[in-house]
Amino acid sequence: MDPRDDAPETAGPARIPTALTIATGIAWRGLIVAAAVAVVAWLLAQLSLLVLPVVLALILAALLAPIARVLTRVPYLPRSVATAIVVIGGIATTAGVLSGAVAAFLAGLPQLSAQLTETVLVIRDRLAGPPFRVDDDQLAALSQGVLATLQRNQTELANNVLGAVGTAGELAAETLLMLFTLIFLIHDGPRIWRFLLGAVPRTSRTRADVAGRRAFASLVGYTRAIVVVAAVDAVTAGVGLWLIGVPLVVPLATLIFFGAFVPTIGAFVTGVVAVLVALASGGWVDALLVLGLLVLVQNVEGYVLQPLLLGRSVQLHPLAVVLPITAGLLLAGIPGALLAVPVVTVADAGVRSLRRPSDAKLRDPDRIDPLDPRSARPPRAPHGPGPAPHTREA
């Protein structure tokens, strides 16, 4: 008998299941991507005083640069003068809207306070009656609890106010930086873009130029459409609030205008404020009428205005709107929510261009006008026989 037969068998190397290999490969790659995203987010947070004004200037440039280009076509009007006209005009318009809204709010505040007090008394009487039957002692205890909570948080509220005042200098510095950047983006936009393209390898420079032009064209389309949509929403809602008889029509319409710049979430927040004001001024009937009015306005915006104005320049799924807004709100507060959708819009157009085979064949980026929203995406290929054009949508 061969003695090797009695030797113990040595097990060979265990074979890792294919599914586990794939899962671990995806896991460590996902961890690397998550770490890179976290580092970028941390850097942006550290440089927020620089990043936020520059991003805001870029969005405003997308809105004002087409107007400046139209003005430069006027004979004997230098580009510097056109830039000054659009920047000063934009500042004057924004300041006028804000000052008018604040003045109207302060003028109607006493009336709103009186109506709110009356509404609180009505609610208290209803709580005391059927079916709630809350006695006076419980209502008094509830009132005392609210007052005690306010007194306990008085120090914190004072610190928040002082903190807001303490950041006034930072706000002024950010505003000046934004205006400075905006002026040069409008005046020297093409030159700045050529300088940035110099950092791209020569073999990929044309492709990056095409993607950048389409991305900025999508931003132009988005800013132009969102301003028009916000204005229509504000005017429509303001007229409806006036017909219902709700006070503070101008401040509420202004709030609805600025809330439209944060899709979905902004409409919800401003709608809640308008409904509460209507409830305080006219009761449940007016509140329900205002709620119906705002639902009607939002449906007209979602199904008529946005498809008509945005067209094909911006095509985002609702999830691609709500999730970035929520993430921006969690990471950077209100500024993050405001900037989330424009950033996603630019990234979507740029990535689609980089993946589009027809854009890879485009040798003359100057054929794409970055100030025309129609340049955000190439035209669709016509149906029927015949060769497809090189700008066919991928």
Side-chain angles (χ1 to χ4, degrees):
M1 184 176 63
D2 192 346
R4 291 177 297 181
D5 294 340
D6 296 334
E9 295 182 359
T10 58
R15 183 178 179 183
I16 300 176
T18 304
L20 183 59
T21 302
I22 296 175
T24 54
I26 294 175
W28 70 261
R29 288 178 174 86
L31 289 175
I32 293 177
V33 172
V37 171
V39 170
V40 171
W42 181 82
L43 289 175
L44 292 178
Q46 298 301 313
L47 300 174
S48 59
L49 296 180
L50 174 64
V51 173
L52 184 60
V54 172
V55 174
L56 287 175
L58 189 64
I59 295 175
L60 292 176
L63 180 64
L64 299 178
I67 303 175
R69 186 172 66 175
V70 172
L71 292 178
T72 56
R73 297 172 182 172
V74 177
Y76 307 108
L77 185 64
R79 188 173 186 84
S80 57
V81 177
T83 302
I85 291 174
V86 295
V87 172
I88 295 175
I91 295 174
T93 302
T94 304
V97 171
L98 290 178
S99 61
V102 171
F105 180 80
L106 294 177
L109 189 58
Q111 177 187 359
L112 180 62
S113 300
Q115 292 169 343
L116 184 59
T117 302
E118 183 180 353
T119 302
V120 171
L121 295 176
V122 171
I123 293 176
R124 180 175 179 174
D125 293 339
R126 290 183 179 179
L127 289 175
F132 303 102
R133 299 187 182 281
V134 180
D135 57 27
D136 293 338
D137 294 336
Q138 291 176 330
L139 292 175
L142 179 61
S143 302
Q144 292 177 357
V146 172
L147 291 176
T149 302
L150 291 176
Q151 290 174 356
R152 285 195 304 268
N153 296 330
Q154 185 175 5
T155 304
E156 182 179 354
L157 292 174
N159 291 332
N160 290 336
V161 172
L162 292 176
V165 174
T167 59
E170 294 180 357
L171 180 61
E174 291 181 358
T175 303
L176 290 177
L177 177 59
M178 182 193 67
L179 292 176
F180 186 79
T181 307
L182 175 62
I183 291 172
F184 282 99
L185 286 177
I186 295 177
H187 188 269
D188 294 328
R191 188 184 307 175
I192 295 174
W193 177 240
R194 287 193 297 268
F195 173 78
L196 294 177
L197 284 176
V200 180
R202 188 177 298 273
T203 55
S204 305
R205 192 169 299 171
T206 301
R207 191 72 185 272
D209 192 2
V210 172
R213 289 169 179 264
R214 292 204 187 280
F216 194 78
S218 69
L219 184 61
V220 172
Y222 173 80
T223 54
R224 185 181 301 177
I226 201 67
V227 169
V228 175
V229 169
V232 173
D233 285 354
V235 172
T236 305
V239 172
L241 293 173
W242 176 73
L243 292 176
I244 294 173
V246 178
L248 303 176
V249 172
V250 174
L252 289 176
T254 305
L255 188 64
I256 292 172
F257 173 81
F258 287 108
F261 288 90
V262 184
T264 307
I265 296 179
F268 173 78
V269 174
T270 56
V272 169
V273 174
V275 170
L276 290 178
V277 172
L279 177 63
S281 63
W284 292 103
V285 175
D286 284 1
L288 292 176
L289 289 176
V290 171
L291 180 61
L293 169 67
L294 296 178
V295 170
L296 177 62
V297 170
Q298 292 303 313
N299 278 275
V300 172
E301 172 191 333
Y303 293 103
V304 178
L305 294 179
Q306 287 189 358
L308 180 64
L309 295 174
L310 290 175
R312 296 176 56 253
S313 61
V314 179
Q315 293 180 351
L316 296 177
H317 192 274
L319 269 181
V321 174
V322 175
L323 294 182
I325 290 176
T326 306
L329 188 63
L330 294 176
L331 294 175
I334 295 178
L338 287 172
L339 301 179
V341 177
V343 170
V344 172
T345 298
V346 171
D348 175 72
V351 170
R352 286 179 182 272
S353 176
L354 292 175
R355 295 180 56 191
R356 189 178 293 117
S358 60
D359 281 357
K361 301 176 184 178
L362 192 60
R363 294 292 177 256
D364 185 13
D366 290 335
R367 294 175 52 187
I368 301 175
D369 184 3
L371 300 184
D372 187 355
R374 294 173 296 182
S375 300
R377 295 188 181 185
R380 296 185 184 275
H383 297 285
H390 73 280
T391 57
R392 182 174 60 88
E393 178 74 28

